[in-house]
Amino acid sequence: MLQARQIPGGVRLGLAAISLSVALVGGGAASAQDKNAGELVVLSLGGSYQDAQSKEWFKPFAEKSGVKVSEASGYNFAKLKVMIESGNVEADVVDISADTMTALADAGLLEKIDWSKIPAECQAGIPADMKKDYAFPIIQWAMVMAYNTSKVPQDKAPKTWADFWNVTAFPGKRASIGATRPPVEQATLAINGDLAKLYPFDLNAAFDKIKSLGNAIIFADGYAQVAQYLADGEADMAIIPNGRVGPLVAAGRPVAINWNQHLTFPNFFAIPKGAPHKDNAMKFLGYVCQPEVLAKIAAPTNYGPINVDAYKFIPADVARLLPGNPETVALGRPIDTVFLSKARPDIAKGWARMAVR
């Protein structure tokens, strides 16, 4: 699950003072480029995700274009908003979640994407609903149902969230995180499995459904613990991001994903309003948009490209664990970021009420 780290104190992002890693200023290839090509500052999410981006996207772009690319990580919505509104814009491209993108765009804090500068071969595989005016779609992760195959044989595994909630037909322990992201959508789908009618939903009914599982569900503080419960067999099945399952499969642990009724969470590259190197930001998008380039971080991150044409460059054994895979994409749907961003405080209150009942 992608989450931004907090930037400690201060209004300005202070990119030079936080996890700044200066990317390569083209090597031999770059020497043939325009040495005055300028700069580009990219703000991403850190960790192995950004390591893969740096290796496969940022550094190759710097070498190819001659643009000096600098990277930083560590931000949240509030910091970005203050940075842009104060006029101290220190990033040209920001990797953001769909809800952050929606909120910043609604506040008029993002530059419009010039889609005329995105090559046609890049646009062909992008779903129409992902072509945003103020953001370019890159990757997505998914909340899925996973199960331990040593405890739940594949021919007897639950196939729907209604099955997951049916402790009589499908006995065994379930696992999920609790307070930070209670499974309200999955509970709602257990009541009515129509994905198209998921949003908006009744939060009280969702929490009542979660509570109905009683001792059959274990709540964890984080997804690492949920993955551990599942791998160790302490939980027979779990509600978990797909990216947490991939490493378990690679390690030979007895786990599998049921893609039916999964929810996808897209991430985007956006250009902050007033970005000092907006033209280079568009050049970068015109490079990273290529399906073959997008595909390169699939294996090391377990995140799926939103551009379906990228799957032509992803090995089958990797693709089957990624959201957006043409073989499973129709089994899920994207989250409603507008509904969830507005419902966030009520979800927290609902969890608190359920916990004391």
Side-chain angles (χ1 to χ4, degrees):
M1 183 178 181
L2 299 179
Q3 290 183 326
R5 295 195 298 261
Q6 300 284 323
I7 295 176
V11 172
R12 290 166 60 86
L13 282 172
L15 297 183
I18 60 172
S19 65
L20 177 66
S21 59
V22 179
L24 301 179
V25 182
S31 62
Q33 303 291 333
D34 179 4
K35 293 184 177 178
N36 297 314
E39 300 181 10
L40 180 75
V41 179
V42 182
L43 191 55
S44 189
L45 298 161
S48 58
Y49 173 60
Q50 187 165 339
D51 289 344
Q53 288 181 311
S54 183
K55 177 183 177 183
E56 305 292 353
W57 293 355
F58 305 150
K59 291 177 180 177
F61 170 70
E63 293 170 357
K64 185 178 179 66
S65 67
V67 172
K68 178 182 177 181
V69 180
S70 300
E71 301 175 37
S73 62
Y75 66 91
N76 58 22
F77 168 75
K79 294 286 183 182
L80 285 175
K81 187 170 184 289
V82 170
M83 178 189 77
I84 301 169
E85 289 181 334
S86 68
N88 296 313
V89 181
E90 297 184 348
D92 304 301
V93 174
V94 184
D95 187 327
I96 53 178
S97 62
D99 55 340
T100 296
M101 179 273 290
T102 301
L104 290 175
D106 288 347
L109 298 177
L110 297 178
E111 297 282 356
K112 201 163 187 175
I113 299 297
D114 186 351
W115 283 93
S116 70
K117 294 184 179 178
I118 303 297
E121 61 268 29
C122 291
Q123 299 196 39
I126 301 176
D129 62 347
M130 289 289 111
K131 286 186 178 179
K132 307 294 186 182
D133 287 341
Y134 293 93
F136 182 85
I138 45 176
I139 60 93
Q140 57 190 328
W141 62 274
M143 192 70 81
V144 299
M145 182 194 307
Y147 54 95
N148 186 307
T149 56
S150 70
K151 304 191 72 174
V152 184
Q154 288 185 304
D155 60 343
K156 297 181 180 178
K159 294 180 173 57
T160 67
W161 291 114
D163 292 344
F164 187 92
W165 254 262
N166 187 341
V167 296
T168 302
F170 301 92
K173 285 286 186 183
R174 284 82 166 141
S176 170
I177 62 167
T180 53
R181 191 66 172 84
V184 287
E185 286 113 325
Q186 290 74 22
T188 301
L189 287 169
I191 299 169
N192 182 350
D194 189 340
L195 280 171
K197 296 180 179 177
L198 174 57
Y199 299 103
F201 57 83
D202 184 333
L203 280 173
N204 289 327
F207 279 110
D208 285 344
K209 192 68 176 178
I210 294 172
K211 192 173 179 64
S212 73
L213 280 174
N215 294 330
I217 187 166
I218 310 167
F219 289 109
D221 293 330
Y223 289 115
Q225 192 174 21
V226 176
Q228 198 64 49
Y229 286 155
L230 185 66
D232 293 346
E234 190 169 346
D236 301 75
M237 55 197 88
I239 303 167
I240 189 170
N242 74 288
R244 297 286 184 174
V245 181
L248 299 179
V249 173
R253 307 303 291 270
V255 297
I257 290 176
N258 167 24
W259 286 98
N260 194 33
Q261 298 178 319
H262 71 274
L263 300 178
T264 56
F265 294 70
N267 257 55
F268 298 83
F269 277 141
I271 304 173
K273 196 78 172 181
H277 308 106
K278 179 184 171 184
D279 289 345
N280 283 339
M282 283 306 309
K283 287 180 184 175
F284 171 69
L285 295 183
Y287 167 77
V288 78
C289 72
Q290 300 170 69
E292 189 171 6
V293 175
L294 286 170
K296 289 182 177 178
I297 71 164
T301 66
N302 290 303
Y303 298 129
I306 291 175
N307 188 324
V308 296
D309 285 346
Y311 278 90
K312 299 173 184 174
F313 305 96
I314 299 174
D317 63 327
V318 175
R320 69 184 177 84
L321 296 174
L322 303 179
N325 183 343
E327 294 183 6
T328 58
V329 66
L331 300 176
R333 61 156 292 167
I335 60 164
D336 185 328
T337 56
V338 175
F339 172 81
L340 288 176
S341 61
K342 291 179 180 176
R344 188 176 298 171
D346 292 330
I347 292 174
K349 291 175 185 175
W351 172 261
R353 283 196 301 271
M354 190 190 80
V356 300
R357 276 190 283 171

